Amino acid sequence: MPPRPNKKRRVADKKAAEEVVSKKLKAAAADALAIDGQALVQFVDPEGKIAGPQLDVPLGTSKDQLGTLLNQLLENSEEMPYSFHLEDTEITSNLAASFGKLSKGQQSTERVLNITYYPLAVFRVRPVTRCTSSLSGHIEAVLCVAFSPDSRQLATGSGDSTVRLWDLNTELPKHTCKGHLNWVLAVAWSPDGSRLTSAGMDKIVLVWCAQSGKNLGALRGHTQPVTCLCWQPLHVTEGDSFPFLATSSKDAAVRIWDTTAGTCVRSLTSHSQPVMQVRWSGERPDIGGVIYSAGRDCVVKVWNPKDGSMLSELKGHGHWVNTLALNTDYVLRSGPFTHEPQKFKDLAEKKEAAKKRYDEAIQLCGGERLLSGSDDFTLFLWRPVVSKTAVCRMTGHQKIVNQVAFSPDGRWFASASFDKSVRLWDGRTGKYVHAFRGHVGDVYQLAWSADSRLLVSVSKDSTAKCWDIGQRKLLEDLPGHADEVYAVDWSLDGSRVATGSKDRLLKIWRH
Amino acid sequence: MPQNEYIKESIKRFGRRFDHEERMRKKKAREPKKIAKTARKLRGIKAKLFTKKRYSEKATMKKTIKAHQEKDAKAKDAEEVKPGAVPAYLLDREQVRRTKVLSNMIKQKRKEKAGKWQVPIPKVKAMTEDEMFKILRSGKRKKKAWKRIVNKVSFVGDNFTRKPPKFERYIRPSALRFKKAHVTHPELKMTFNLEIVSVKKNPQSALYTNLGVITKGTIIEVNVSELGLVTQTGKVIFAKYAQVTNNPDIDGCINSLLLV
């Protein structure tokens, strides 16, 4: 690796790069002015609702100019960022370039062109570029990593049957939670950030206090290793009770637990094979959310947590279902917390904030969608609340799909597969967009940045890679681990990425 | 019912003797004594056949006992923490056993430059010219003796073409040419049959290195792309060095140890 240039040089390089960019922009603007012709355009939001009247604009209109126009039409008090699509193609430079990409029959200036606009995050997460600390402590492989919803703490579970809590301000170990008797396969923070649960091969689910790292209770009942944990969303809980916890296990059952009392509320049994994934949705607050579970018996089941009945079965996969994802996963996980630091008085206030955030998110991504990835190399996109049939079946991967993840705004989703590629798909329609290639080993896990502009993937080849969604290319290669990287998470405030590896190290990456 | 099954018929009709179970038990208990007695008495070919039969019986019995013991032991072990933890998504997936990523390429290159290697066999016995080459007499009267046949195993690359006989000083017999070697990974404790890429160094002399002669202690380069090894920066390792640990010309195969 070449030595890192000193700071002065870096600044100089940056300036030079900026100059080049500004020159290019000027040249592009000059080109745009040179394009003559007019077009009738109509701004449409992703749901198909019309915004403002039809406009007669020059074909040379740039993306920025479109943005200004739309902001005025929508009467936004502040300038909001948007991305624009002309039919299926994204407008990257100006209208004319995308117009040229349309099929021959569509290329008519007589027709009204529909420009779909997608709102982007108002903040930007800077890409991670360097490893700020390699934290040792675990004496076996690190199997799972999770940032707390308020991004102040980090929890890891390991093969040495401990859970560790790390302090993120100093990037040092904080607590070691001993109690498990075997590998810890999953850790999950409660959406209000006060409790942590962990589970693993020893069939017990342990609840920990996030502040002190003390054990608050053990939930016993499963007869086989526990594979996945999921908390009830904060805004669908009954009254002022603490959210329940759903766990899936290899004994083919999903159990719902009351972590405060330490009891099993309900056991959902009709799977015939190990259940590998469970998700608790924020829809249907009247029954306390809906639970989705899937596993080795190839069906996704929808449950009513209130009376434990099965609402429906989603059939389609031909082999094990490995992963489930909701387009609201991110907002459910983060609960009331946004990318800015906040303080809340009590649980009720948190619930209110969580409800507000959820409503905004569901509005933004246009209804809840469930995604499942499987050993049969395909993905299915469902709208379980609306219908039992799939919206879309996505093929393209050449090996099993190990993980799928929606971007926080629900605009995209990405799938990680053992065929060494990460694929990007459209979050609403499931249309294939791009394949990110670069890994030389199986891709294990994915994590999105909070602004949906970046994606980080980890792989068997001992590296993590940061991808740029806008430009569709590799932004940063993050080598450093000495062995397979098993787990990754991006903090919800976007400042840090944590990776856990088979070499027993936890690495923290920052800009 | 066939005529000859009269005993069965009788048992069916009248049942067994009342002390039948007892007698069978005693008979079974006395069986070893009876066998021992026959074993003592038998001589010659009969004895040989008998012992052979007895030997195989005992072997199978021991095997079954061991299998049962293992089964019992396994049930106990299930509760213990096993090494080699994997995340939930890799449970029950067949995995190729693989250890840590091998030491990085930079180190390897540095070592290569210095020509120094930490190798399993640091010193080898020097070979004489006679042992290495056989003189091949040529000419009409077989009085010229400038041709040599290599007596040892050699590696000849794919793109090798023979020179005209007049210029061919060294002959590497095709029967002694090898393309593959057994390579043991010291950390994995596993052996793979891998293709040889080149002969890096033969400690006997530079000439042997050039000729591609493989003797004990030779460093060969093998193609490890199938093993799926990666460097720390996430690049695939295609070839690595290995040292030959046996005498290939005597054994008829090349055994080697991967240099990590």
Side-chain angles (χ1 to χ4, degrees):
Chain A
M1 208 162 71
R4 214 179 158 83
N6 60 20
K7 200 176 173 194
K8 225 186 235 171
R9 265 267 299 287
R10 262 167 36 213
V11 170
D13 282 351
K14 219 176 190 181
K15 265 188 188 164
E18 269 167 17
E19 254 170 47
V20 169
V21 168
S22 68
K23 254 185 206 167
K24 265 188 192 166
L25 275 179
K26 268 180 200 161
D31 285 347
L33 283 180
I35 300 165
D36 53 349
Q38 297 273 324
L40 273 176
V41 297
Q42 171 68 62
F43 286 110
V44 177
D45 81 346
E47 297 304 295
K49 263 187 248 156
I50 290 165
Q54 292 176 2
L55 299 171
D56 192 8
V57 294
L59 270 179
T61 316
S62 73
K63 193 178 147 195
D64 298 336
Q65 286 165 332
L66 282 176
T68 321
L69 204 57
L70 182 64
N71 268 308
Q72 275 174 5
L73 282 178
L74 296 176
E75 294 169 359
N76 292 338
S77 52
E78 280 177 66
E79 186 102 338
M80 301 280 277
Y82 291 98
S83 75
F84 298 97
H85 277 227
L86 184 63
E87 310 292 335
D88 289 335
T89 53
E90 189 163 353
I91 300 174
T92 46
S93 56
N94 57 34
L95 202 53
S98 306
F99 187 71
K101 280 181 201 159
L102 290 178
S103 59
K104 271 281 174 294
Q106 306 277 322
Q107 274 193 16
S108 154
T109 46
E110 305 286 312
R111 218 165 53 89
V112 178
L113 301 172
N114 276 346
I115 296 182
T116 319
Y117 64 90
Y118 294 91
L120 298 176
V122 288
F123 57 98
R124 269 178 185 278
V125 170
R126 292 188 296 178
V128 286
T129 50
R130 66 203 167 95
C131 176
T132 50
S133 46
S134 300
L135 302 168
S136 56
H138 282 298
I139 49 172
E140 256 292 347
V142 182
L143 303 183
C144 47
V145 168
F147 278 101
S148 70
D150 57 3
S151 307
R152 288 204 196 120
Q153 276 177 306
L154 175 66
T156 56
S158 155
D160 62 2
S161 57
T162 61
V163 173
R164 273 173 181 265
L165 287 170
W166 310 85
D167 182 30
L168 283 180
N169 282 330
T170 52
E171 299 190 351
L172 287 172
K174 200 171 177 194
H175 300 294
T176 309
C177 309
K178 284 178 189 157
H180 279 290
L181 304 171
N182 212 331
W183 309 345
V184 182
L185 296 178
V187 288
W189 291 87
S190 69
D192 70 332
S194 66
R195 281 177 207 180
L196 173 74
T197 50
S198 62
M201 294 291 276
D202 59 354
K203 307 156 198 169
I204 318 166
V205 181
L206 293 181
V207 186
W208 310 92
C209 173
Q211 290 307 314
S212 63
K214 291 226 173 68
N215 192 349
L216 297 178
L219 314 171
R220 286 165 217 271
H222 281 298
T223 55
Q224 287 286 317
V226 182
T227 51
C228 185
L229 301 168
C230 189
W231 283 89
Q232 185 176 24
L234 209 51
H235 66 275
V236 294
T237 51
E238 252 179 83
D240 44 332
S241 64
F242 199 77
F244 289 162
L245 177 75
T247 60
S248 67
S249 160
K250 285 183 87 179
D251 62 7
V254 175
R255 277 172 186 263
I256 306 173
W257 307 87
D258 182 349
T259 50
T260 320
T263 51
C264 178
V265 180
R266 226 164 273 293
S267 175
L268 314 173
T269 51
S270 82
H271 278 288
S272 55
Q273 296 280 320
V275 191
M276 300 310 280
Q277 285 280 314
V278 63
R279 284 284 179 282
W280 203 319
S281 126
E283 291 293 285
R284 303 280 303 275
D286 53 316
I287 55 167
V290 185
I291 295 180
Y292 305 118
S293 67
R296 302 268 163 95
D297 57 357
C298 318
V299 289
V300 181
K301 299 204 176 199
V302 186
W303 304 92
N304 176 350
K306 201 161 197 179
D307 58 4
S309 62
M310 193 177 78
L311 295 173
S312 63
E313 255 183 340
L314 312 176
K315 283 182 193 161
H317 281 298
H319 206 335
W320 297 355
V321 181
N322 295 322
T323 168
L324 288 179
L326 287 171
N327 56 357
T328 52
D329 259 348
Y330 201 80
V331 67
L332 294 182
R333 216 190 106 195
S334 53
F337 301 99
T338 57
H339 61 281
E340 287 156 344
Q342 280 159 299
K343 275 199 177 148
F344 296 97
K345 216 163 47 203
D346 54 358
L347 194 61
E349 199 171 306
K350 280 182 185 172
K351 272 183 192 176
E352 206 160 288
K355 173 113 184 70
K356 201 167 141 241
R357 281 201 70 208
Y358 181 78
D359 290 343
E360 269 171 25
I362 204 87
Q363 180 80 29
L364 182 65
C365 56
E368 186 192 63
R369 283 172 179 80
L370 177 73
L371 184 65
S372 56
S374 158
D375 254 24
D376 62 4
F377 315 160
T378 63
L379 304 135
F380 272 88
L381 189 65
W382 315 87
R383 300 202 64 173
V385 178
V386 178
S387 102
K388 265 169 72 174
T389 47
V391 176
C392 181
R393 176 176 184 260
M394 286 144 278
T395 53
H397 278 297
Q398 276 121 37
K399 281 191 181 166
I400 68 159
V401 182
N402 196 45
Q403 208 205 1
V404 288
F406 268 100
S407 69
D409 60 3
R411 169 92 182 79
W412 311 104
F413 59 83
S415 56
S417 161
F418 285 4
D419 65 3
K420 304 169 191 176
S421 71
V422 175
R423 275 167 198 263
L424 185 71
W425 316 77
D426 188 288
R428 282 161 209 274
T429 57
K431 255 187 67 181
Y432 168 73
V433 178
H434 190 71
F436 295 108
R437 295 184 193 281
H439 280 295
V440 294
D442 303 353
V443 186
Y444 282 152
Q445 298 273 284
L446 291 171
W448 282 87
S449 73
D451 65 349
S452 310
R453 289 186 181 99
L454 301 168
L455 177 71
V456 67
S457 62
V458 296
S459 153
K460 193 178 177 178
D461 65 10
S462 81
T463 61
K465 288 188 200 292
C466 185
W467 310 92
D468 188 332
I469 298 303
Q471 294 170 355
R472 313 262 155 78
K473 64 170 195 189
L474 177 69
L475 206 58
E476 287 293 336
D477 197 352
L478 309 168
H481 278 296
D483 214 331
E484 301 178 16
V485 190
Y486 281 148
V488 66
D489 198 12
W490 203 317
S491 75
L492 296 135
D493 64 356
S495 63
R496 289 175 179 87
V497 167
T499 54
S501 157
K502 198 180 171 188
D503 66 359
R504 300 155 189 193
L505 286 184
L506 171 72
K507 276 184 188 282
I508 294 183
W509 310 84
R510 301 183 67 178
H511 178 75
Chain B
M1 163 158 183
Q3 214 176 2
N4 56 0
E5 287 187 352
Y6 55 91
I7 296 180
K8 261 191 190 167
E9 179 74 16
S10 160
I11 291 170
K12 221 182 214 174
R13 270 191 202 153
F14 311 109
R16 293 183 187 278
R17 290 172 61 135
F18 293 122
D19 56 350
H20 175 258
E21 300 295 320
E22 184 71 7
R23 278 160 61 90
M24 287 321 268
R25 187 187 61 77
K26 285 187 173 166
K27 198 177 179 186
K28 211 179 170 192
R30 287 181 197 121
E31 186 100 49
K33 292 206 166 179
K34 207 175 171 189
I35 292 170
K37 206 172 177 185
T38 11
R40 279 203 302 276
K41 244 198 276 176
L42 285 174
R43 293 285 181 274
I45 183 74
K46 285 272 172 64
K48 254 188 179 173
L49 289 173
F50 182 79
T51 40
K52 194 174 180 199
K53 197 179 134 218
R54 195 67 197 133
Y55 173 79
S56 65
E57 270 173 17
K58 276 191 173 175
T60 47
M61 193 156 34
K62 268 190 185 163
K63 247 183 209 169
T64 45
I65 288 171
K66 207 178 171 194
H68 279 292
Q69 273 174 347
E70 259 173 24
K71 220 193 259 165
D72 296 343
K74 248 181 210 164
K76 255 183 229 164
D77 279 356
E79 293 303 310
E80 277 173 30
V81 183
K82 281 183 220 138
V86 288
Y89 54 83
L90 291 180
L91 289 177
D92 309 323
R93 289 197 189 282
E94 278 195 13
Q95 285 245 304
V96 186
R97 257 181 69 213
R98 222 176 55 78
T99 50
K100 269 187 303 186
V101 176
L102 302 170
S103 58
N104 55 25
M105 294 298 256
I106 299 167
K107 249 189 205 165
Q108 186 168 340
K109 282 210 175 111
R110 204 183 298 149
K111 273 183 189 164
E112 200 173 333
K113 260 185 195 163
K116 269 184 200 165
W117 285 96
Q118 280 274 317
V119 289
I121 304 170
K123 269 187 186 168
V124 288
K125 206 183 78 198
M127 262 179 218
T128 55
E129 187 104 336
D130 302 349
E131 198 184 339
M132 202 68 177
F133 299 122
K134 197 179 111 193
I135 297 166
L136 184 70
R137 295 197 163 261
S138 54
K140 199 172 179 184
R141 306 269 172 263
K142 299 285 175 215
K143 63 180 216 180
K144 291 179 182 142
W146 55 271
K147 277 202 176 196
R148 299 284 181 273
I149 293 181
V150 180
N151 258 343
K152 300 287 170 192
V153 162
S154 60
F155 169 74
V156 181
D158 282 334
N159 51 1
F160 171 75
T161 40
R162 286 180 62 183
K163 290 197 186 77
K166 200 175 162 188
F167 301 108
E168 193 176 36
R169 171 125 202 247
Y170 296 104
I171 298 168
R172 293 174 284 188
S174 61
L176 282 174
R177 290 183 190 177
F178 272 74
K179 282 211 170 357
K180 285 193 156 189
H182 303 301
V183 181
T184 305
H185 192 299
E187 282 169 24
L188 279 177
K189 305 244 177 332
M190 278 169 97
T191 307
F192 309 94
N193 194 6
L194 301 176
E195 264 178 38
I196 302 172
V197 177
S198 69
V199 172
K200 211 65 212 168
K201 190 167 174 76
N202 189 322
Q204 303 289 351
S205 84
L207 173 66
Y208 302 159
T209 312
N210 285 345
L211 282 174
V213 177
I214 300 172
T215 56
K216 189 172 179 172
T218 307
I219 310 267
I220 55 175
E221 196 175 18
V222 287
N223 184 352
V224 291
S225 55
E226 294 166 27
L227 303 189
L229 302 175
V230 275
T231 61
Q232 288 219 304
T233 49
K235 302 270 173 356
V236 180
I237 301 173
F238 290 108
K240 283 203 70 77
Y241 295 152
Q243 192 181 32
V244 178
T245 52
N246 69 335
N247 288 312
D249 49 327
I250 298 172
D251 296 352
C253 67
I254 303 175
N255 295 339
S256 61
L257 202 62
L258 207 64
L259 302 178
V260 181

